[in-house]
Amino acid sequence: MTDAKVTSIDVARLAGVSQSAVSRVFSGASASKSTIAKVRAAAAQLGYRPNSLARAMITGKSRIIGLVVAYLDNQFYPAAIERLGAALQERGYHILLMMAENSAEGVEQVIQDLMAYQVDGIITASVAMTSDLTERCAALGIPVVMFNRGQDGSGFSAITSANREGGAKVAEFLLAGAHQRIAHIAGWQGSSTGRDRTEGFVARLAEAGVTPVATIDGMYARDAAAEAARTIMAQDARPDAIFVGNDHMAFAVMDVLRGELGLSVPGDVSVVGYDDVPMAAWPAYDLTTLRQPINRMVEATVDTVLGQIEDPDRLPEKIEIAGPLIVRGSARIPEGWTR
Amino acid sequence: MTDAKVTSIDVARLAGVSQSAVSRVFSGASASKSTIAKVRAAAAQLGYRPNSLARAMITGKSRIIGLVVAYLDNQFYPAAIERLGAALQERGYHILLMMAENSAEGVEQVIQDLMAYQVDGIITASVAMTSDLTERCAALGIPVVMFNRGQDGSGFSAITSANREGGAKVAEFLLAGAHQRIAHIAGWQGSSTGRDRTEGFVARLAEAGVTPVATIDGMYARDAAAEAARTIMAQDARPDAIFVGNDHMAFAVMDVLRGELGLSVPGDVSVVGYDDVPMAAWPAYDLTTLRQPINRMVEATVDTVLGQIEDPDRLPEKIEIAGPLIVRGSARIPEGWTR
DNA sequence: CCCAATGTTGCACACGTATGCAAGTCACAA
DNA sequence: TTGTGACTTGCATACGTGTGCAACATTGGG
């Protein structure tokens, strides 16, 4: 007997109690055994479920988290969304998903929309925010957590992997492999993750007295990375190793090296990526890469945003989680290292 | 001057008009030039945006679409979500994203949640619904559109590619290529898409007097498909062609064939997939596949769900969109066909 | 100059729920 | 029996917006 719209008043009438009694039963406030039983029975009979929007109006808590995401080509983000969604659902929250091109106006518009829906918190994945916008969110008491992207200033929380350290680990690995001419196709230098990985990488090389033979910004895009690979391999000092700023670009680079240039990986060139997306383990690429510990990053993100919702005085935090280098077959394996 | 919570009453007070005047300005109802100007100015000064939840309460339209999705490993779904999100945003709707394992109880729970949030419509991607559930949605006047999955019975809309026709096209292509022993690793036979592709494929082979040398359900899963490939290749009549129920599985199959078994594709075995996800075009796989016209499928999905929202009397429709076979390098190319 | 028609505005109420408050119930101990 | 405390329950109100209705302002034509 599912009727068009069932409200708590209908349930109250059928159960012979007041509307507030129904509300108390469903919001977990105290009520007598008999009332609970009557209400539950009536609700079941009518197929009643409390209206979340009305509930949100009155409590000021929508239990909705806004998730802003730029593009989903890079397999890392679908994987992250999948886990974020599951983790939030488990804790009684829901996701309002927004696509935003990574421009100031685009993000502005999207955040405005989210605020209009009274989201309790916002998670941005691979999207930068103007500090103006972040201040407005802070003024409204809406916590913002940036996933896989950091930002200077202290208005917001950010969860990333330990990108400098990660870049350094890759440098160490390539140095240990006795590579002579090391190149770098960088993650987008407009993003903190891209810059940090590059910095850590270059700094550790410098400690060993090595300078990259080339560094090109791959913009986190397949075609830019492919083009960068062509450019790099066309130059005089042809590299024997390339560190690519993420796996998504690394696949494009390997496609160019093997497909277009007929080179062997790692015979002629070693390739190392960053992320360890599922595809990196597939035999077709078998990519050596620095793993971003996605599960722990997601946990930290959820903990941070929900923690800040529950305790508004909590300060924003920037969390970096270190990940291991996953040694596979796309780069020469130094003596003493194992897969 | 962004204050904690700005309501239409605050704006009204500052503009020297009534709350209803503010409401009319923002909901597009008629108002005088001067009122509009005053309200706009006051709203801008206070940083006011109408509360979407309150608006949803009163109008009964939340402008939220529930999107239910099972898993995102298969690149086809992130791509679809990206486009669905963009298309819906463009038309003033927003996406409440829910993950659901593909079980009856899982979906039940998720749909309940969506209904509690008063979504205007529901799109399910690669998820089946019980007819009981669909009836309840229909009773509430919530249109449900299944994306890339069909279902018998007439309670709901479904957008798919022309799966039988597609399977038949693949059969034709493999027959034209003079393959002698054709095998099939099927899409999940619990889904309409999987069954339809198989049916169309097998029927067209039968017309030519050919029977598949093996058919195994790959469950739309990487490992099941890989295992199926091992089984199929271990049998006496080793196939020289395999039609795999989607690209995601086809990649796993190619990995097994080339990586584990050291076979050449298409030299020893031709492989054909279904979907044409972006990765199918990458040189590492260069997969011949039947394209699902994702853009047109998304358009049809959005049109259908919004159309049914605007006109509740509109009947559910089942739309099939045909796609072309994309000839690449993973399968022997018959005389007269071109890439 | 007046009337009707058209356009604008404010008042009051509705949407469906949560919650403070006061009244009521019940049991238990003195 | 009576008083006291612990629980329950219903009433009324609030959340922030849209909208019917009636009052009012404005305009144009005769």
Side-chain angles (χ1 to χ4, degrees):
Chain A
M1 296 304 114
T2 323
D3 243 357
K5 290 284 179 192
V6 184
T7 74
S8 59
I9 298 185
D10 300 326
V11 177
R13 198 170 296 143
L14 178 60
V17 298
S18 73
Q19 178 270 329
S20 34
V22 178
S23 169
R24 279 188 259 262
V25 169
F26 279 90
S27 58
S30 75
S32 71
K33 284 285 172 198
S34 86
T35 301
I36 294 182
K38 282 189 292 187
V39 169
R40 283 254 130 79
Q45 183 178 339
L46 296 176
Y48 168 75
R49 294 249 353 210
N51 181 327
S52 297
L53 299 187
R55 178 175 279 185
M57 280 238 58
I58 194 74
T59 62
K61 294 288 159 199
S62 63
R63 300 192 78 83
I64 297 179
I65 302 291
L67 177 57
V68 184
V69 90
Y71 51 100
L72 301 179
D73 321 354
N74 179 349
Q75 215 189 356
F76 183 72
Y77 292 105
I81 291 178
E82 195 171 335
R83 288 152 215 251
L84 277 171
L88 286 172
Q89 268 173 247
E90 208 168 309
R91 296 171 70 161
Y93 282 80
H94 302 270
I95 286 187
L96 199 56
L97 180 68
M98 313 274 315
M99 304 290 159
E101 71 251 40
N102 209 335
S103 70
E105 318 84 51
V107 174
E108 164 88 25
Q109 174 59 43
V110 156
I111 300 283
Q112 294 270 6
D113 277 17
L114 285 179
M115 299 197 308
Y117 274 101
Q118 314 296 110
V119 296
D120 291 342
I122 296 178
I123 299 174
T124 66
S126 83
V127 168
M129 295 200 29
T130 67
S131 54
D132 163 61
L133 206 49
T134 324
E135 269 170 34
R136 296 227 300 278
C137 289
L140 285 167
I142 302 180
V144 176
V145 178
M146 308 178 69
F147 178 84
N148 203 31
R149 187 123 329 170
Q151 192 149 328
D152 296 333
S154 58
F156 16 66
S157 300
I159 315 293
T160 62
S161 69
N163 287 304
R164 267 187 212 78
E165 187 183 330
K169 280 183 188 168
V170 173
E172 253 165 48
F173 177 78
L174 291 180
L175 288 170
H179 293 279
Q180 300 304 312
R181 294 173 307 282
I182 300 179
H184 180 37
I185 296 178
W188 181 40
Q189 295 293 299
S191 72
S192 68
T193 49
R195 285 194 307 268
D196 290 350
R197 288 169 199 175
T198 297
E199 275 179 33
F201 180 68
V202 171
R204 181 57 56 91
L205 287 187
E207 285 177 22
V210 173
T211 308
V213 296
T215 298
I216 303 187
D217 189 341
M219 309 296 290
Y220 285 144
R222 246 188 94 79
D223 12 351
E227 192 52 37
R230 290 186 199 102
T231 305
I232 280 182
M233 297 310 289
Q235 70 186 18
D236 292 343
R238 204 184 224 196
D240 58 356
I242 308 179
F243 168 39
V244 189
N246 71 1
D247 289 357
H248 183 65
M249 294 191 297
F251 300 136
V253 170
M254 286 181 69
D255 285 345
V256 167
L257 295 178
R258 300 189 300 195
E260 289 180 22
L261 306 178
L263 297 173
S264 145
V265 175
D268 298 314
V269 192
S270 287
V271 175
V272 177
Y274 204 108
D275 275 350
D276 194 28
V277 297
M279 208 188 313
W282 296 6
Y285 291 102
D286 195 34
L287 181 66
T288 294
T289 185
L290 202 125
R291 171 177 296 164
Q292 298 216 73
I294 190 168
N295 286 327
R296 284 191 292 153
M297 287 173 66
V298 165
E299 274 172 36
T301 303
V302 171
D303 286 348
T304 302
V305 69
L306 297 191
Q308 239 165 319
I309 288 170
E310 283 157 20
D311 174 11
D313 295 331
R314 193 138 140 191
L315 291 177
E317 33 190 346
K318 305 198 188 290
I319 300 180
E320 289 197 353
I321 302 177
L325 182 76
I326 305 298
V327 179
R328 296 203 182 91
S330 69
R332 190 191 309 158
I333 302 178
E335 293 289 335
W337 293 63
T338 64
R339 282 188 72 128
Chain B
M1 299 300 117
T2 323
D3 242 356
K5 289 284 178 192
V6 184
T7 74
S8 59
I9 297 186
D10 301 326
V11 176
R13 198 169 297 143
L14 177 60
V17 298
S18 73
Q19 177 270 330
S20 34
V22 177
S23 170
R24 277 188 261 263
V25 169
F26 278 90
S27 58
S30 75
S32 70
K33 285 284 174 199
S34 85
T35 301
I36 293 183
K38 282 188 291 185
V39 168
R40 283 254 131 78
Q45 183 179 337
L46 296 175
Y48 168 76
R49 295 245 355 207
N51 181 326
S52 296
L53 299 187
R55 179 177 278 185
M57 280 239 56
I58 195 73
T59 61
K61 293 289 159 198
S62 62
R63 300 191 79 82
I64 297 179
I65 303 292
L67 177 57
V68 184
V69 92
Y71 53 99
L72 302 179
D73 322 352
N74 179 349
Q75 215 189 359
F76 183 71
Y77 292 104
I81 290 178
E82 194 171 337
R83 288 152 215 252
L84 277 171
L88 286 172
Q89 268 173 247
E90 208 168 309
R91 297 171 69 160
Y93 283 82
H94 302 271
I95 288 188
L96 199 57
L97 180 67
M98 312 275 315
M99 305 289 159
E101 72 253 40
N102 209 335
S103 70
E105 317 85 50
V107 174
E108 165 89 26
Q109 174 58 43
V110 155
I111 300 283
Q112 294 271 4
D113 278 16
L114 286 179
M115 299 196 307
Y117 274 100
Q118 314 296 109
V119 295
D120 290 343
I122 295 178
I123 298 174
T124 67
S126 82
V127 168
M129 297 201 24
T130 66
S131 54
D132 163 60
L133 207 49
T134 324
E135 268 170 35
R136 296 227 299 279
C137 289
L140 286 167
I142 302 179
V144 176
V145 178
M146 308 178 69
F147 179 84
N148 203 31
R149 188 122 327 169
Q151 192 150 327
D152 296 334
S154 56
F156 16 66
S157 299
I159 315 292
T160 62
S161 69
N163 287 303
R164 266 186 213 79
E165 188 182 330
K169 280 183 188 167
V170 174
E172 252 164 48
F173 178 78
L174 291 180
L175 289 170
H179 293 279
Q180 299 304 311
R181 294 172 308 283
I182 300 178
H184 179 38
I185 296 178
W188 181 41
Q189 295 293 297
S191 71
S192 67
T193 49
R195 284 193 307 270
D196 289 351
R197 288 168 199 175
T198 297
E199 276 178 32
F201 180 69
V202 172
R204 181 58 56 92
L205 288 186
E207 285 176 20
V210 173
T211 309
V213 296
T215 298
I216 302 186
D217 188 341
M219 310 295 291
Y220 285 145
R222 246 188 94 79
D223 9 350
E227 191 52 37
R230 290 184 199 104
T231 305
I232 280 182
M233 298 310 288
Q235 70 186 19
D236 292 343
R238 205 184 224 196
D240 58 356
I242 308 179
F243 168 40
V244 189
N246 72 0
D247 289 356
H248 182 65
M249 294 192 296
F251 300 137
V253 169
M254 286 180 69
D255 285 343
V256 167
L257 295 178
R258 299 189 300 197
E260 290 180 22
L261 307 178
L263 297 172
S264 144
V265 174
D268 297 314
V269 192
S270 287
V271 175
V272 177
Y274 203 106
D275 274 349
D276 194 27
V277 298
M279 208 188 314
W282 297 6
Y285 291 102
D286 194 33
L287 181 66
T288 293
T289 186
L290 202 124
R291 170 177 296 164
Q292 297 216 74
I294 190 167
N295 286 327
R296 283 191 295 153
M297 286 172 68
V298 165
E299 273 172 36
T301 303
V302 170
D303 285 348
T304 302
V305 69
L306 296 190
Q308 240 166 319
I309 288 170
E310 282 156 22
D311 174 12
D313 295 332
R314 193 139 138 189
L315 292 176
E317 35 189 343
K318 304 197 187 293
I319 301 180
E320 289 196 355
I321 303 176
L325 182 76
I326 305 298
V327 179
R328 297 203 182 91
S330 70
R332 190 191 308 157
I333 302 178
E335 295 287 334
W337 292 65
T338 64
R339 280 188 75 126

